[in-house]
Amino acid sequence: MALNNTDQQLLSNKEIQSTIDLLIHRIDYIDSICNNGFPLYSPGKTSQWIISPGGSWIGGFWSALWWLRSRITGSEADQRKASDICRRLSSKLSIDSINRSFIFWYGASLGDLWSGDNQAHKLAAESITALAATYDPTIRCMPLGTAMGGGTEGKRCISIDSLAALIQLFSRSEQSQHQNISQYHTDTALTACYYNGAFHTSAYFGQNKFHSTDEAGIWSRGQAWGILGLCRAAAQWGEPYLTYAHSACEYWKYTRPDPLPLDRLDNSSGLYDPSASVIASLAMFSLADLLPDGNPWRLQAHQLISAVIRSPFFIGFYKNDDYPNNKIRMNPGIFWGNCYKTNEDKEELVETVWGSFFLLAALCILVGIIKPNHC
């Protein structure tokens, strides 16, 4: 499924707009079955959504989809919907998890940034204060925390997943203390998890230093999260983060020449995870803006998104032939290329609101609706 480097395979502006429309209409369907809950995931192409009353770490992406939709449509009704979902995230302020940065950057700060929503601004500010209070000067980071899967060792762990969201969330604060904490945390994450362009997904502090918990560069989405975090750090503070970000993007190209990468490089018979390419593309769009001649990285990102949209993992694009039945054909806009642990012993390819948000955001960047550093 390798993608050749030719302009003919890039999505045109017309195709991008058509795909944006499909994803927007998909939001309506998902909303129709939520009953004021938070949609988590739907296995494969089934449209059988698992709904949560609280949303876990994914909840912020549900309001983020509506914030982005209102940005696209200019609809006051869409903005009110986003704001309503945002208010329901307030219960997560006290959860002991660094993944609150996912919830409140995407779920609240984007509402402040794109719509000037006062409640979103207040909620984002409160989340920064709550997260900053968890900063541990001994290990110079905000640890993973015990909730949302962190467990009893979460107080001594650092993870790479939420780095980009945390940097962006804290960048909205005017307090120098918050900026300092964010940079201390970032530097610790790089010391513990970054090695020659590759990322360990987490590390545990013991015997006065961090110890990585996995092999660097193996998990594709973890690598993509890390690249995105570096690009956000580069946008915020410049060097040396820009050099690191460039090296990490080069590492991605070298180790993942296929635009639809395996979930894990050490399991050639395992699942693919196209969502990792979508997240990596967001990093590459940002890197392109930070370099004197970033066009090759913008082209690379455009190629990745084009390949994902044209693949069987996205339902509804008119050139896709993967329509096993009329039910799927009548329910387009499904991006089911997200590898996700649906229970303790099982990973599946699913449709998720975070995957759809990132895909929609990448498309919006391509046509200039949002800026690369806004997501």
Side-chain angles (χ1 to χ4, degrees):
M1 285 187 274
L3 180 66
N4 294 325
N5 187 11
T6 60
D7 289 344
Q8 286 79 7
Q9 291 182 307
L10 298 177
L11 291 170
S12 68
N13 279 3
K14 182 178 179 181
E15 290 171 329
I16 292 169
Q17 188 57 61
S18 295
T19 309
I20 288 172
D21 291 343
L22 289 175
L23 285 162
I24 285 177
H25 291 136
R26 182 63 178 165
I27 296 171
D28 285 326
Y29 171 78
I30 298 170
D31 185 51
S32 72
I33 61 174
C34 279
N35 295 322
N36 292 320
F38 289 89
L40 296 184
Y41 67 89
S42 171
K45 298 170 266 188
T46 64
S47 288
Q48 297 175 355
W49 280 86
I50 304 300
I51 308 298
S52 163
S56 187
W57 66 271
I58 301 174
F61 288 100
W62 184 224
S63 55
L65 266 174
W66 284 95
W67 290 127
L68 183 52
R69 174 170 159 151
S70 70
R71 179 81 170 177
I72 297 165
T73 64
S75 165
E76 291 185 4
D78 288 346
Q79 186 173 330
R80 287 195 298 271
K81 178 73 172 182
S83 185
D84 175 65
I85 299 170
C86 177
R87 284 193 295 271
R88 288 155 46 201
L89 297 172
S90 61
S91 63
K92 298 297 182 184
L93 281 171
S94 60
I95 298 296
D96 180 28
S97 175
I98 195 69
N99 290 328
R100 282 177 289 180
S101 56
F102 275 130
I103 298 169
F104 295 106
W105 165 249
Y106 293 105
S109 270
L110 288 183
D112 178 26
L113 181 67
W114 288 337
S115 300
D117 186 278
N118 290 331
Q119 178 62 31
H121 174 84
K122 181 175 182 291
L123 195 57
E126 289 174 349
S127 73
I128 294 171
T129 299
L131 280 161
T134 70
Y135 179 76
D136 185 337
T138 302
I139 58 177
R140 291 178 65 85
C141 73
M142 287 165 277
L144 175 62
T146 58
M148 297 184 183
T152 57
E153 295 185 346
K155 291 288 190 183
R156 309 294 281 178
C157 286
I158 190 168
S159 64
I160 207 68
D161 304 28
S162 61
L163 180 60
L166 187 141
I167 292 170
Q168 288 173 289
L169 179 63
F170 273 62
S171 73
R172 301 291 289 172
S173 173
E174 296 180 355
Q175 295 188 34
S176 60
Q177 179 188 10
H178 292 156
Q179 301 300 323
N180 292 338
I181 287 174
S182 177
Q183 190 165 12
Y184 294 154
H185 177 90
T186 300
D187 290 344
T188 300
L190 295 181
T191 299
C193 298
Y194 178 78
Y195 179 74
N196 287 345
F199 282 92
H200 304 282
T201 58
S202 61
Y204 177 77
F205 190 82
Q207 298 179 331
N208 295 317
K209 65 177 182 178
F210 277 100
H211 306 267
S212 60
T213 58
D214 63 354
E215 185 177 348
I218 294 299
W219 182 38
S220 289
R221 195 159 70 246
Q223 188 67 23
W225 287 133
I227 296 172
L228 188 61
L230 275 177
C231 288
R232 297 297 179 251
Q236 185 75 5
W237 303 300
E239 294 289 4
Y241 310 100
L242 181 57
T243 296
Y244 295 154
H246 190 270
S247 296
C249 285
E250 289 285 0
Y251 179 86
W252 179 278
K253 284 179 61 178
Y254 175 75
T255 57
R256 291 162 174 85
D258 192 320
L260 306 174
L262 288 166
D263 172 47
R264 297 188 58 86
L265 297 189
D266 58 357
N267 184 6
S268 60
S269 61
L271 297 173
Y272 288 92
D273 190 358
S275 75
S277 278
V278 175
I279 297 168
S281 78
L282 295 175
M284 293 172 189
F285 282 129
S286 292
L287 181 64
D289 271 6
L290 297 171
L291 296 174
D293 181 13
N295 286 335
W297 287 110
R298 183 176 176 86
L299 175 61
Q300 178 74 14
H302 196 163
Q303 289 173 335
L304 291 179
I305 295 303
S306 298
V308 170
I309 295 299
R310 288 196 163 97
S311 78
F313 297 106
F314 183 77
I315 303 301
F317 187 69
Y318 71 96
K319 291 184 179 178
N320 288 354
D321 295 321
D322 187 35
Y323 290 123
N325 56 55
N326 287 332
K327 181 178 179 182
I328 292 296
R329 182 174 297 172
M330 295 300 292
N331 199 15
I334 298 175
F335 173 44
W336 61 283
N338 311 274
C339 193
Y340 185 77
K341 182 172 283 190
T342 55
N343 63 48
E344 189 173 341
D345 301 314
K346 185 177 182 180
E347 287 191 323
E348 300 179 68
L349 283 169
V350 302
E351 181 184 12
T352 70
V353 290
W354 57 262
S356 295
F357 169 79
F358 285 133
L359 184 58
L360 183 57
L363 293 164
C364 287
I365 289 170
L366 281 169
V367 291
I369 295 173
I370 62 174
K371 297 179 181 179
N373 66 341
H374 280 185
C375 58

